[in-house]
Amino acid sequence: ETSKETTSEEPYIVTFEATNLNGETITSDTFADSKLTMLNVWATYCNPCLNEMPDLAEIAVAYDSADFQLLGIISDVSVFSEDAALSEAKDLVAETGATTYPHLLLNESLYSNLVGAIDSVPTTFFVNQEGELLGYIVGAHDKETWESVIDELLAEME
């Protein structure tokens, strides 16, 4: 008789299909493009979110895209939002310089698979190339803190 090693929990696989601020469709297939993907969930009314976005904008372009990519998820603007809300989100992305990475509009797919589980913003998730959830961090952080988290996760993947 063979015994099989079982882990306490299977990795959670993040899947989604969403639209970015430019109306383009982005799916969880994008995870395959980088070893590590950071998903930063933010809201237009959240000052800590907006305060960290200039740093996130720099981080998004600081790494080789084969190693790391960053996606924003706007938790309070959906595909069904009024034009004014969409326009405000676009303005905030431009003002914070966070145009260096895509921002996804909340939809049922993102909500049921990821965003619905959080109770505050910003919350940032990390997933690997297979879309497995590696962990998440609640709250805003500075560039140095995020870089050390990213570097540590990438080092663990070597």
Side-chain angles (χ1 to χ4, degrees):
E1 151 177 276
T2 60
S3 71
K4 190 174 155 229
E5 286 292 317
T6 57
T7 50
S8 57
E9 54 186 289
E10 287 294 305
Y12 179 74
I13 305 292
V14 178
T15 56
F16 70 86
E17 181 171 315
T19 306
N20 69 10
L21 279 173
N22 303 326
E24 300 156 346
T25 299
I26 296 182
T27 71
S28 41
D29 291 346
T30 191
F31 296 149
D33 298 339
S34 300
K35 286 182 192 168
L36 180 66
T37 300
M38 177 176 179
L39 298 157
N40 175 253
V41 183
W42 62 280
T44 57
Y45 59 82
C46 165
N47 285 324
C49 300
L50 300 172
N51 290 340
E52 75 175 347
M53 282 164 65
D55 283 348
L56 294 178
E58 291 178 20
I59 290 169
V61 293
Y63 290 84
D64 183 325
S65 62
D67 289 330
F68 175 80
Q69 65 180 333
L70 173 57
L71 296 174
I73 299 173
I74 313 169
S75 65
D76 64 333
V77 180
S78 79
V79 282
F80 305 112
S81 293
E82 312 250 325
D83 289 342
L86 197 57
S87 164
E88 181 193 12
K90 284 181 180 173
D91 289 348
L92 290 170
V93 167
E95 282 168 30
T96 58
T99 51
T100 58
Y101 58 98
H103 296 269
L104 308 178
L105 301 172
L106 190 64
N107 63 8
E108 179 55 43
S109 168
L110 281 171
Y111 185 83
S112 59
N113 293 309
L114 198 66
V115 181
I118 68 174
D119 50 17
S120 63
V121 285
T123 294
T124 303
F125 296 91
F126 291 91
V127 299
N128 64 17
Q129 274 180 307
E130 285 74 49
E132 296 172 351
L133 183 62
L134 302 174
Y136 66 94
I137 295 174
V138 177
H141 297 284
D142 63 19
K143 187 178 177 187
E144 289 70 32
T145 304
W146 280 128
E147 286 175 337
S148 69
V149 169
I150 293 162
D151 293 343
E152 196 174 305
L153 285 168
L154 284 171
E156 286 170 12
M157 295 175 162
E158 289 305 317

